[in-house]
Amino acid sequence: MLAGGAEAQDWRTLRERMLAEIDATYAETRAETGLAAMSPRVRAAMAKVERHRFVGPAERPLAYRNHPLPIGHGQTISQPYIVALSTDLVAPEPHHVVLEVGTGSGYQAAVLAEIVKRVYTIELLEPLARQAAARLAELGYGNVEVRVGDGYAGWPEKAPFDAIVVTAAAPAIPQALVEQLKPGGRMVIPVGGAGDIQRLVLLAKAADGTVTRRNVLPVRFVPLVPGK
Ligand code: SAH
């Protein structure tokens, strides 16, 4: 298995390079995000999850560039920096139960699953949900559950969540998601309509239920499509 071993080593080298690019982007955006560097937890997850397994063969050579990539059905796997930042912003802890909206390739779910106890993730498009679920199972992520559905409604049966990560842009923050966040919880969500400048918003729910929000960064995500 010399060739296989060598290949794994090559991917690891590319992943290290990706981490360096993410580090550089954290440094550039420090004033806006308030985060100087990836937390050790998020860095370890980003170093471990094999992004090349979450894209098709044509995109594989580009898997460790700090860019979004197409995943079919008009959707994209987010830029690695944005995945790291979104994960850091919700301050994940090992005992957390997290909701992701917009499963896509399953990559963000895998990064979260490396850190937290359990991840529930919702995808509107059935073929993407099915593919992500199969991929995550094959990679051994037994702590991720994928469901086909409309993320605007959240996943009330599994609520409340310690954190919510939304990976598609909504014109406004869906109230159902705010309600499904635990007191003390955090949600990260790109907010803005089609054609608008979107903002990555960090919402925090205090122990008394009071909600505060902060605009973190201008971003560009695919839209959170209203479900039927
Ligand atoms: N987190 C993904 C990136 C997903 S792109 C990853 O790591 O690869 C956003 C995803 O949100 C797309 O797959 C899109 O189909 C999905 N989506 C759009 N509207 C949705 C909705 N209302 N509910 C759930 N998923 C939705």
Side-chain angles (χ1 to χ4, degrees), residues 8-146:
Q9 187 54 48
D10 290 346
W11 290 124
R12 206 166 299 132
T13 304
L14 290 175
R15 238 175 359 258
E16 285 302 321
R17 228 172 275 164
M18 176 188 82
L19 289 181
E21 281 186 46
I22 299 173
D23 284 336
T25 313
Y26 264 69
E28 281 163 23
T29 54
R30 170 185 196 155
E32 291 150 283
T33 65
L35 298 176
M38 269 181 279
S39 63
R41 238 171 231 168
V42 170
R43 167 173 277 277
M46 297 296 293
K48 185 159 173 212
V49 180
E50 300 186 316
R51 192 172 187 252
H52 68 276
R53 297 196 190 268
F54 292 84
V55 296
E59 286 72 33
R60 215 155 278 160
L62 305 173
Y64 294 109
R65 303 277 289 274
N66 193 16
H67 290 299
L69 289 169
I71 55 169
H73 306 275
Q75 307 305 322
T76 55
I77 178 171
S78 305
Q79 182 191 11
Y81 158 70
I82 290 292
V83 172
L85 180 69
S86 301
T87 310
D88 259 330
L89 286 170
V90 297
E93 303 270 346
H95 64 275
H96 278 177
V97 176
V98 177
L99 174 70
E100 182 200 18
V101 174
T103 314
S105 68
Y107 177 70
Q108 169 79 74
V111 169
L112 286 164
E114 289 288 346
I115 301 171
V116 305
K117 187 170 82 185
R118 194 141 188 92
V119 179
Y120 293 98
T121 180
I122 308 175
E123 170 57 52
L124 188 65
L125 302 179
E126 207 210 321
L128 284 177
R130 216 182 310 123
Q131 185 181 45
R135 185 179 274 153
L136 289 162
E138 188 188 313
L139 294 174
Y141 290 103
N143 60 340
V144 181
E145 195 173 325
V146 183

Side-chain angles (χ1 to χ4, degrees), residues 75 152 168-170 192 194 198 221-225:
Q75 307 305 322
Y152 275 97
Q198 302 166 1
F221 278 82
V222 296
L224 190 66
V225 177

Side-chain angles (χ1 to χ4, degrees), residues 154-186:
W155 195 327
E157 299 82 0
K158 306 293 182 186
F161 303 100
D162 297 289
I164 300 178
V165 175
V166 183
T167 68
I173 299 176
Q175 191 51 36
L177 298 184
V178 178
E179 282 163 14
Q180 290 173 30
L181 194 61
K182 267 188 202 168
R186 291 172 172 223

